[in-house]
Short mmCIF file of all heavy atoms in Angstrom, two decimals:
data_model
loop_
_atom_site.label_atom_id
_atom_site.label_comp_id
_atom_site.label_asym_id
_atom_site.label_seq_id
_atom_site.Cartn_x
_atom_site.Cartn_y
_atom_site.Cartn_z
N LEU A 18 -6.25 33.94 -236.23
CA LEU A 18 -6.18 34.74 -237.44
C LEU A 18 -6.21 33.78 -238.59
O LEU A 18 -5.43 32.82 -238.83
CB LEU A 18 -4.78 35.45 -237.43
CG LEU A 18 -4.53 36.33 -236.29
CD1 LEU A 18 -3.09 36.93 -236.32
CD2 LEU A 18 -5.58 37.34 -236.03
N GLY A 19 -7.30 34.03 -239.54
CA GLY A 19 -7.41 33.16 -240.72
C GLY A 19 -8.62 32.17 -240.55
O GLY A 19 -8.67 31.40 -239.57
N ALA A 20 -9.58 32.33 -241.44
CA ALA A 20 -10.64 31.36 -241.44
C ALA A 20 -10.53 30.36 -242.55
O ALA A 20 -11.43 29.90 -243.28
CB ALA A 20 -11.93 32.11 -241.64
N GLY A 21 -9.29 29.86 -242.75
CA GLY A 21 -9.01 28.67 -243.55
C GLY A 21 -9.25 27.48 -242.81
O GLY A 21 -9.83 27.47 -241.73
N LEU A 22 -8.68 26.40 -243.30
CA LEU A 22 -8.98 25.07 -242.68
C LEU A 22 -8.30 24.98 -241.30
O LEU A 22 -8.96 24.58 -240.29
CB LEU A 22 -8.30 23.99 -243.50
CG LEU A 22 -9.30 22.96 -243.91
CD1 LEU A 22 -9.84 23.20 -245.27
CD2 LEU A 22 -8.64 21.64 -243.87
N ALA A 23 -7.00 25.35 -241.17
CA ALA A 23 -6.39 25.41 -239.88
C ALA A 23 -7.08 26.29 -238.86
O ALA A 23 -7.24 25.94 -237.73
CB ALA A 23 -4.95 25.69 -240.01
N GLY A 24 -7.40 27.53 -239.33
CA GLY A 24 -8.03 28.46 -238.43
C GLY A 24 -9.32 27.92 -237.86
O GLY A 24 -9.61 28.04 -236.65
N VAL A 41 -10.44 35.98 -237.06
CA VAL A 41 -10.32 37.18 -237.76
C VAL A 41 -9.93 36.82 -239.17
O VAL A 41 -8.90 36.04 -239.38
CB VAL A 41 -9.24 38.06 -237.17
CG1 VAL A 41 -8.89 39.27 -238.06
CG2 VAL A 41 -9.60 38.54 -235.78
N GLU A 42 -10.70 37.23 -240.20
CA GLU A 42 -10.42 36.87 -241.61
C GLU A 42 -10.33 38.11 -242.47
O GLU A 42 -11.18 38.96 -242.37
CB GLU A 42 -11.59 35.92 -242.05
CG GLU A 42 -11.52 35.56 -243.53
CD GLU A 42 -10.24 35.05 -244.17
OE1 GLU A 42 -9.65 34.14 -243.55
OE2 GLU A 42 -9.76 35.58 -245.17
N ARG A 43 -9.28 38.13 -243.31
CA ARG A 43 -9.10 39.29 -244.21
C ARG A 43 -10.21 39.40 -245.27
O ARG A 43 -10.55 40.43 -245.74
CB ARG A 43 -7.72 39.38 -244.87
CG ARG A 43 -7.37 38.09 -245.58
CD ARG A 43 -6.23 38.29 -246.59
NE ARG A 43 -6.79 38.29 -247.95
CZ ARG A 43 -6.19 38.38 -249.04
NH1 ARG A 43 -4.93 38.50 -248.98
NH2 ARG A 43 -6.85 38.31 -250.15
N ASP A 44 -10.63 38.27 -245.74
CA ASP A 44 -11.63 38.18 -246.86
C ASP A 44 -13.07 38.47 -246.33
O ASP A 44 -13.33 38.08 -245.23
CB ASP A 44 -11.63 36.83 -247.61
CG ASP A 44 -10.46 36.73 -248.51
OD1 ASP A 44 -9.86 37.71 -248.82
OD2 ASP A 44 -10.32 35.55 -248.88
N ARG A 54 -12.60 32.88 -252.97
CA ARG A 54 -12.15 34.17 -252.30
C ARG A 54 -10.61 34.32 -252.52
O ARG A 54 -9.88 33.31 -252.47
CB ARG A 54 -12.64 34.28 -250.86
CG ARG A 54 -12.29 33.11 -249.98
CD ARG A 54 -12.95 33.20 -248.67
NE ARG A 54 -12.59 32.18 -247.70
CZ ARG A 54 -11.52 32.25 -246.93
NH1 ARG A 54 -10.76 33.29 -246.99
NH2 ARG A 54 -11.22 31.28 -246.13
N GLY A 56 -8.21 35.13 -250.63
CA GLY A 56 -7.30 34.72 -249.64
C GLY A 56 -6.92 33.27 -249.68
O GLY A 56 -5.97 32.80 -249.05
N VAL A 57 -7.71 32.45 -250.54
CA VAL A 57 -7.36 31.02 -250.69
C VAL A 57 -7.26 30.78 -252.20
O VAL A 57 -8.08 29.98 -252.83
CB VAL A 57 -8.43 30.17 -249.99
CG1 VAL A 57 -8.02 28.68 -250.01
CG2 VAL A 57 -8.76 30.51 -248.53
N GLN A 59 -5.43 28.96 -253.86
CA GLN A 59 -5.17 27.51 -254.28
C GLN A 59 -6.41 26.79 -254.43
O GLN A 59 -6.48 25.61 -254.90
CB GLN A 59 -4.29 26.85 -253.21
CG GLN A 59 -4.84 26.62 -251.84
CD GLN A 59 -4.64 27.72 -250.88
OE1 GLN A 59 -4.57 28.83 -251.25
NE2 GLN A 59 -4.49 27.38 -249.55
N HIS A 62 -7.46 24.82 -257.62
CA HIS A 62 -6.74 23.65 -257.98
C HIS A 62 -7.15 22.44 -257.18
O HIS A 62 -7.71 22.51 -256.11
CB HIS A 62 -5.13 23.89 -257.82
CG HIS A 62 -4.74 25.12 -258.46
ND1 HIS A 62 -4.34 25.14 -259.85
CD2 HIS A 62 -4.70 26.45 -258.06
CE1 HIS A 62 -4.04 26.44 -260.17
NE2 HIS A 62 -4.30 27.17 -259.17
N ALA A 63 -6.91 21.22 -257.85
CA ALA A 63 -7.40 20.02 -257.22
C ALA A 63 -6.87 19.88 -255.74
O ALA A 63 -5.78 20.08 -255.46
CB ALA A 63 -6.89 18.80 -258.01
N HIS A 64 -7.91 19.51 -254.90
CA HIS A 64 -7.57 19.26 -253.45
C HIS A 64 -8.05 17.87 -253.11
O HIS A 64 -9.38 17.70 -253.16
CB HIS A 64 -8.17 20.32 -252.62
CG HIS A 64 -7.37 21.50 -252.30
ND1 HIS A 64 -7.03 22.41 -253.36
CD2 HIS A 64 -6.77 22.02 -251.19
CE1 HIS A 64 -6.20 23.36 -252.78
NE2 HIS A 64 -6.07 23.16 -251.51
N VAL A 65 -7.22 17.02 -252.64
CA VAL A 65 -7.66 15.73 -252.19
C VAL A 65 -7.50 15.82 -250.66
O VAL A 65 -6.45 16.25 -250.15
CB VAL A 65 -6.82 14.56 -252.78
CG1 VAL A 65 -6.89 14.58 -254.30
CG2 VAL A 65 -5.36 14.63 -252.30
N ARG A 121 -12.54 22.96 -253.13
CA ARG A 121 -12.01 23.55 -251.91
C ARG A 121 -13.00 24.58 -251.34
O ARG A 121 -13.17 24.72 -250.12
CB ARG A 121 -10.65 24.20 -252.11
CG ARG A 121 -9.97 24.85 -251.08
CD ARG A 121 -9.67 23.87 -249.85
NE ARG A 121 -9.43 24.59 -248.65
CZ ARG A 121 -8.26 25.09 -248.20
NH1 ARG A 121 -7.19 24.74 -248.86
NH2 ARG A 121 -8.13 25.87 -247.11
N ARG A 144 -11.49 41.75 -242.30
CA ARG A 144 -10.70 42.58 -241.38
C ARG A 144 -9.24 42.00 -241.29
O ARG A 144 -8.97 41.09 -240.45
CB ARG A 144 -11.23 42.42 -239.93
CG ARG A 144 -12.66 42.99 -239.80
CD ARG A 144 -12.58 44.52 -239.71
NE ARG A 144 -13.99 45.03 -239.54
CZ ARG A 144 -14.53 45.16 -238.43
NH1 ARG A 144 -13.96 44.91 -237.25
NH2 ARG A 144 -15.78 45.65 -238.44
N PRO A 145 -8.40 42.36 -242.18
CA PRO A 145 -7.04 41.87 -242.13
C PRO A 145 -6.36 42.16 -240.81
O PRO A 145 -6.52 43.41 -240.37
CB PRO A 145 -6.25 42.54 -243.30
CG PRO A 145 -7.34 43.10 -244.17
CD PRO A 145 -8.51 43.32 -243.28
N ALA A 146 -5.72 41.15 -240.20
CA ALA A 146 -4.91 41.51 -238.96
C ALA A 146 -3.59 42.05 -239.48
O ALA A 146 -2.96 41.75 -240.49
CB ALA A 146 -4.61 40.18 -238.29
N ALA A 177 -3.07 31.51 -238.08
CA ALA A 177 -3.46 30.36 -239.08
C ALA A 177 -3.71 31.13 -240.33
O ALA A 177 -4.71 30.85 -241.07
CB ALA A 177 -4.64 29.71 -238.57
N THR A 178 -2.82 32.06 -240.74
CA THR A 178 -3.05 32.90 -241.91
C THR A 178 -2.45 32.24 -243.11
O THR A 178 -2.34 32.86 -244.20
CB THR A 178 -2.49 34.36 -241.79
OG1 THR A 178 -1.16 34.26 -241.40
CG2 THR A 178 -3.26 35.11 -240.72
N GLY A 179 -1.93 31.06 -243.02
CA GLY A 179 -1.49 30.28 -244.30
C GLY A 179 -0.23 30.74 -244.86
O GLY A 179 0.69 31.35 -244.08
N ARG A 180 -0.09 30.58 -246.12
CA ARG A 180 1.18 30.83 -246.80
C ARG A 180 1.71 32.26 -246.70
O ARG A 180 2.84 32.56 -246.86
CB ARG A 180 0.97 30.52 -248.30
CG ARG A 180 0.31 29.16 -248.49
CD ARG A 180 -0.28 29.04 -249.92
NE ARG A 180 0.78 29.23 -250.91
CZ ARG A 180 1.59 28.27 -251.33
NH1 ARG A 180 1.48 27.06 -250.87
NH2 ARG A 180 2.51 28.53 -252.17
N THR A 181 0.81 33.22 -246.56
CA THR A 181 1.28 34.61 -246.50
C THR A 181 1.48 35.15 -245.03
O THR A 181 1.56 36.36 -244.83
CB THR A 181 0.25 35.59 -247.14
OG1 THR A 181 -1.07 35.34 -246.41
CG2 THR A 181 -0.02 35.14 -248.64
N TRP A 187 6.13 40.21 -237.53
CA TRP A 187 5.45 40.65 -236.36
C TRP A 187 6.22 40.34 -235.10
O TRP A 187 6.42 41.14 -234.16
CB TRP A 187 4.08 40.06 -236.26
CG TRP A 187 3.11 40.57 -237.27
CD1 TRP A 187 3.32 41.53 -238.19
CD2 TRP A 187 1.89 39.88 -237.64
NE1 TRP A 187 2.24 41.61 -239.06
CE2 TRP A 187 1.26 40.64 -238.64
CE3 TRP A 187 1.10 38.86 -237.09
CZ2 TRP A 187 0.06 40.35 -239.27
CZ3 TRP A 187 -0.13 38.55 -237.59
CH2 TRP A 187 -0.70 39.29 -238.71
N TYR A 207 1.54 24.61 -261.36
CA TYR A 207 0.15 24.01 -261.44
C TYR A 207 -0.60 24.82 -262.60
O TYR A 207 -0.35 25.99 -262.75
CB TYR A 207 -0.57 24.24 -260.27
CG TYR A 207 -0.59 23.08 -259.20
CD1 TYR A 207 0.63 22.49 -258.77
CD2 TYR A 207 -1.75 22.51 -258.74
CE1 TYR A 207 0.72 21.48 -257.87
CE2 TYR A 207 -1.70 21.50 -257.85
CZ TYR A 207 -0.51 20.92 -257.36
OH TYR A 207 -0.55 19.92 -256.45
N PHE A 294 -0.68 28.32 -260.88
CA PHE A 294 -0.17 28.53 -259.41
C PHE A 294 1.34 28.14 -259.46
O PHE A 294 1.74 27.09 -259.92
CB PHE A 294 -0.91 27.59 -258.48
CG PHE A 294 -0.81 28.15 -257.10
CD1 PHE A 294 -1.71 28.87 -256.44
CD2 PHE A 294 0.36 27.76 -256.29
CE1 PHE A 294 -1.69 29.25 -255.17
CE2 PHE A 294 0.48 28.19 -255.05
CZ PHE A 294 -0.51 29.03 -254.47
N THR A 317 0.05 27.85 -236.53
CA THR A 317 -0.38 26.55 -237.03
C THR A 317 -0.68 26.49 -238.53
O THR A 317 -0.71 27.54 -239.15
CB THR A 317 -1.54 26.08 -236.20
OG1 THR A 317 -1.85 24.67 -236.47
CG2 THR A 317 -2.81 26.93 -236.55
N GLY A 318 -0.90 25.32 -239.14
CA GLY A 318 -1.27 25.22 -240.51
C GLY A 318 -0.08 25.64 -241.41
O GLY A 318 1.09 25.57 -241.04
N ASP A 319 -0.49 26.06 -242.62
CA ASP A 319 0.56 26.48 -243.59
C ASP A 319 1.47 27.58 -243.09
O ASP A 319 2.55 27.77 -243.52
CB ASP A 319 -0.03 27.02 -244.93
CG ASP A 319 -0.46 25.82 -245.83
OD1 ASP A 319 -0.51 24.63 -245.31
OD2 ASP A 319 -0.74 26.09 -247.05
N ALA A 320 0.92 28.42 -242.13
CA ALA A 320 1.73 29.49 -241.55
C ALA A 320 2.98 28.94 -240.94
O ALA A 320 4.01 29.64 -240.85
CB ALA A 320 0.91 30.33 -240.55
N PRO A 326 2.26 20.85 -252.85
CA PRO A 326 0.94 20.37 -252.71
C PRO A 326 0.67 19.07 -253.49
O PRO A 326 -0.43 18.45 -253.30
CB PRO A 326 0.09 21.46 -253.32
CG PRO A 326 1.01 22.39 -254.08
CD PRO A 326 2.37 22.16 -253.47
N GLY A 329 -0.66 16.18 -251.53
CA GLY A 329 -2.04 16.30 -251.05
C GLY A 329 -2.14 16.22 -249.54
O GLY A 329 -3.09 15.58 -248.98
N HIS A 330 -1.17 16.78 -248.82
CA HIS A 330 -1.23 16.68 -247.40
C HIS A 330 -1.50 17.91 -246.54
O HIS A 330 -1.71 17.78 -245.40
CB HIS A 330 0.23 16.14 -247.00
CG HIS A 330 0.49 14.79 -247.32
ND1 HIS A 330 1.72 14.24 -247.62
CD2 HIS A 330 -0.35 13.73 -247.42
CE1 HIS A 330 1.65 12.98 -247.94
NE2 HIS A 330 0.39 12.64 -247.77
N GLY A 331 -1.53 19.06 -247.15
CA GLY A 331 -1.74 20.27 -246.28
C GLY A 331 -2.94 20.31 -245.51
O GLY A 331 -2.90 20.70 -244.34
N MET A 332 -4.16 19.90 -246.00
CA MET A 332 -5.38 19.92 -245.25
C MET A 332 -5.35 18.89 -244.17
O MET A 332 -5.83 19.17 -243.01
CB MET A 332 -6.59 19.73 -246.21
CG MET A 332 -6.77 20.81 -247.25
SD MET A 332 -8.37 20.68 -248.14
CE MET A 332 -8.17 19.05 -248.92
N THR A 333 -4.88 17.76 -244.49
CA THR A 333 -4.73 16.71 -243.42
C THR A 333 -3.83 17.12 -242.33
O THR A 333 -4.14 16.90 -241.18
CB THR A 333 -4.23 15.33 -244.03
OG1 THR A 333 -5.27 14.87 -244.99
CG2 THR A 333 -4.02 14.31 -242.98
N ALA A 335 -3.25 20.25 -241.44
CA ALA A 335 -3.98 21.27 -240.66
C ALA A 335 -4.89 20.58 -239.64
O ALA A 335 -5.00 21.06 -238.48
CB ALA A 335 -4.86 22.17 -241.64
C1 FAD B 1 -1.99 24.68 -255.66
C2 FAD B 1 -2.28 23.98 -254.36
C3 FAD B 1 -2.95 22.68 -254.26
C4 FAD B 1 -3.11 22.10 -253.03
N1 FAD B 1 -3.70 20.78 -253.01
C5 FAD B 1 -3.91 20.12 -251.79
C6 FAD B 1 -4.41 18.92 -251.79
O1 FAD B 1 -4.74 18.27 -252.73
N2 FAD B 1 -4.68 18.34 -250.57
C7 FAD B 1 -4.39 18.96 -249.37
O2 FAD B 1 -4.59 18.49 -248.27
N3 FAD B 1 -3.74 20.23 -249.34
C8 FAD B 1 -3.54 20.81 -250.61
N4 FAD B 1 -3.01 22.12 -250.63
C9 FAD B 1 -2.52 22.72 -249.24
C10 FAD B 1 -3.79 23.31 -248.72
O3 FAD B 1 -4.36 24.37 -249.57
C11 FAD B 1 -3.28 24.07 -247.40
O4 FAD B 1 -2.37 23.25 -246.71
C12 FAD B 1 -4.37 24.47 -246.51
O5 FAD B 1 -5.23 25.45 -247.11
C13 FAD B 1 -3.81 24.98 -245.16
O6 FAD B 1 -4.81 25.68 -244.48
P1 FAD B 1 -4.52 27.02 -243.66
O7 FAD B 1 -5.73 27.28 -242.94
O8 FAD B 1 -3.21 26.88 -242.98
O9 FAD B 1 -4.25 28.18 -244.81
P2 FAD B 1 -5.36 28.72 -245.79
O10 FAD B 1 -6.39 27.67 -246.08
O11 FAD B 1 -4.63 29.22 -246.93
O12 FAD B 1 -6.11 29.85 -245.05
C14 FAD B 1 -5.42 31.02 -244.57
C15 FAD B 1 -6.53 32.06 -244.29
O13 FAD B 1 -5.91 33.19 -243.70
C16 FAD B 1 -6.47 34.38 -244.25
N5 FAD B 1 -5.58 35.44 -244.06
C17 FAD B 1 -4.37 35.69 -244.57
N6 FAD B 1 -3.71 36.75 -244.10
C18 FAD B 1 -4.64 37.30 -243.15
C19 FAD B 1 -4.56 38.37 -242.24
N7 FAD B 1 -3.52 39.25 -242.27
N8 FAD B 1 -5.56 38.59 -241.42
C20 FAD B 1 -6.73 37.79 -241.40
N9 FAD B 1 -6.78 36.68 -242.30
C21 FAD B 1 -5.69 36.44 -243.13
C22 FAD B 1 -6.68 34.03 -245.68
O14 FAD B 1 -7.63 34.84 -246.26
C23 FAD B 1 -7.19 32.58 -245.53
O15 FAD B 1 -8.61 32.59 -245.31
C24 FAD B 1 -2.77 22.72 -251.84
C25 FAD B 1 -2.10 23.94 -251.87
C26 FAD B 1 -1.88 24.55 -253.08
C27 FAD B 1 -1.13 25.85 -253.07
#
Side-chain angles (χ1 to χ4, degrees):
L18 306 179
L22 235 99
V41 174
E42 169 55 47
R43 53 159 256 184
D44 284 346
R54 55 190 184 84
V57 189
Q59 70 267 36
H62 306 274
H64 270 67
V65 304
R121 178 62 201 268
R144 301 284 180 86
T178 55
R180 314 161 57 82
T181 59
W187 293 349
Y207 268 54
F294 197 101
T317 191
D319 277 17
H330 284 150
M332 296 192 295
T333 294

